[in-house]
Amino acid sequence: MKREIKISEAEWEVMKVIWKQSPLSAQDVADKLNKKPVWHPKTVKTLINRLVKKGVLRYEKLGRIHLFSPLLSESQCILNESESFLDRVFGGSLQPMVAQLVKHRKLSAADIQELQKILRGKERNK
């Protein structure tokens, strides 16, 4: 049985920083996030603590500083989130989701070629 980990939008922002560069202290994460709208350091620490409890981050204590690193890769979290969305919104069926996106999104020729390449690869791997 796979364990579903739900990450909030704010937690995703924290994780993007940590996936890009780690290990980082909570203050380092707050500093990097503050290049966008202002994030209070206490808010960042709360989000980091939630991610540790969820098993997405780990920490190493170095003196008085905690350095945080990801336990799950970005691709693992994206896959988990994608499967959760697919189950919730489309009852686990991939075809209606892809059809919906293809109908309502603008696709470049390169996008279409990439999708065709992925599908041909899936056909070969049956």
Side-chain angles (χ1 to χ4, degrees), residues 3 6 10 14 18 35 41 43 48 60 62 65-66 68 80 90 92 99-100 105-106 108 110 116:
R3 187 173 142 238
K6 295 187 186 261
V14 169
I18 293 174
K35 293 178 180 157
T43 302
I48 287 173
E60 167 186 347
L62 204 62
I65 297 173
H66 289 79
F68 298 91
N80 182 64
F90 294 96
Q100 184 78 306
R105 287 279 216 173
K106 194 171 204 162
S108 68
Q116 289 171 333

Side-chain angles (χ1 to χ4, degrees), residues 1 14 31-32 53 61 81 87 99 106 108 122 125:
M1 181 166 99
V14 169
D31 291 345
K32 290 181 184 303
K53 286 178 185 170
K61 195 168 182 180
E81 187 70 23
D87 290 342
K106 194 171 204 162
S108 68
K122 280 294 205 184
N125 293 331

Side-chain angles (χ1 to χ4, degrees), residues 73-91:
S73 69
E74 185 173 12
S75 62
Q76 287 172 304
C77 288
I78 289 171
L79 179 61
N80 182 64
E81 187 70 23
S82 300
E83 288 179 349
S84 174
F85 175 78
L86 185 65
D87 290 342
R88 276 190 334 270
V89 178
F90 294 96

